[in-house]
Amino acid sequence: MVESPSMTLPLAPARPLTALAAASRDVAAARLVALGDAARLVFRGREAAIGPAGEAFGVALPRESCRFNAAGGRFAFWLGPDEWLLLAPGAEAAPIFAAIEAATSGLPHSLVDVSARSVGIEIAGERAAFVLNQGNPLDLSLDAFPVGMCTRTVFHKAEIVLVRHAPDVFHIDVWRSFAPYVWELLEDARRELA
Amino acid sequence: MLIITCPWCGARPEVEFRYGGEAHIARPADPSALTDQEWADFLYNRTNPKGLHAERWRHIHGCGRYFNALRDTVSDFFVTTYKAGEPRPDIDASSGGNP
Ligand SMILES: [Zn+2]
């Protein structure tokens, strides 16, 4: 019996922002970029599993609230006291998943491949925080939201993960079905900018 | 906008939270041993005070944790917040008030 290819191929990554990004205006003060595919895993676990999971991923899982660690182009975002989003841009999820499962075997935890669930948007430029604040009520001053901070929050009515990589560079991770909504509201917020 | 202090994440806007009802209500260990009135009290009857109220909140669009808060139901002022599992802080209504 011949298996149809669709039975063995993984789901194609969703790219809901392709058309919007292609038609997007370049605004230097708040550039918008639809980020490429990435492996995304959500790890939840108790004390004993946290260290080994970070070691297997290659990035120690941060224990401080609302902070992320980065190493070798990978990121571990603190989402809650027992919950992390592991992001590996351009990587396949399966080998990372297998490595973490091997390292945490027998230890209570959960690991879920959510690579297809969300997409990334970068917003960068000197007015990036201003644009984000059109739909997000957090204090985005560097004192209150420093470089290295990440958190789940909201953008208008959509839940997002917001990350500050540099004073003027933010990463948004948003569920893919909400992504066009967030993108178009970001576009709307920066209409007044040259 | 009302600011609520999550015990994990710090001061955050109200829109990131969901209300979770009165705090410190333990589910009876042996429900079948209760009278109908006792079971109804557990399910439905709440203190509904005018003044300080210990209540559950969830930082649903943040860390996802449930925690407890002491809020003044007259002024809507959050006197304090504390992690789930911790005892209700020994604060009386006179230390609450408007911000
Ligand atoms: Zn929180």
Side-chain angles (χ1 to χ4, degrees), chain A residues 44 65 79 151-153 159, chain B residues 8 12 16 61-63 65:
Chain A
R44 300 194 67 170
S65 296
L79 292 185
T151 183
R152 248 190 307 244
T153 182
E159 182 174 287
Chain B
W8 295 99
R12 305 289 290 249
E16 292 182 354
H61 298 304
C63 61
R65 290 313 87 181

Side-chain angles (χ1 to χ4, degrees), chain A residues 105-144:
Chain A
S105 154
L107 303 169
H109 71 282
S110 92
L111 183 66
V112 183
D113 179 355
V114 295
S115 303
R117 184 172 74 180
S118 56
V119 296
I121 300 171
E122 182 181 275
I123 176 161
E126 60 184 17
R127 303 303 298 280
F130 166 84
V131 170
L132 283 166
N133 272 149
Q134 306 312 303
N136 178 273
L138 291 179
D139 178 354
L140 296 180
S141 67
L142 279 164
D143 290 340

Side-chain angles (χ1 to χ4, degrees), chain A residues 49-111:
Chain A
I50 295 171
E55 252 168 60
F57 182 57
V59 184
L61 307 189
R63 306 306 301 273
E64 191 185 344
S65 296
C66 304
R67 290 295 181 275
F68 68 90
N69 288 338
R74 294 182 175 183
F75 303 89
F77 301 108
W78 184 101
L79 292 185
D82 66 357
E83 181 181 6
W84 289 266
L85 173 64
L86 310 178
L87 181 75
E92 289 295 325
I96 302 171
F97 192 98
I100 297 174
E101 275 301 284
T104 53
S105 154
L107 303 169
H109 71 282
S110 92
L111 183 66

Side-chain angles (χ1 to χ4, degrees), chain B residues 2-8 13-23 53-60 63-72 76-78 80-84:
Chain B
L2 193 60
I3 301 293
I4 300 174
T5 301
C6 169
W8 295 99
E14 179 186 6
V15 293
E16 292 182 354
F17 297 86
R18 289 290 182 280
Y19 183 64
E22 186 169 358
H53 187 227
E55 55 197 21
R56 305 198 312 158
W57 283 81
R58 186 178 178 208
H59 194 190
I60 187 166
C63 61
R65 290 313 87 181
Y66 273 100
F67 60 93
N68 294 329
L70 275 185
R71 183 178 60 92
D72 191 313
D76 207 18
F77 179 70
F78 279 73
T80 190
T81 54
Y82 51 104
K83 287 179 181 172

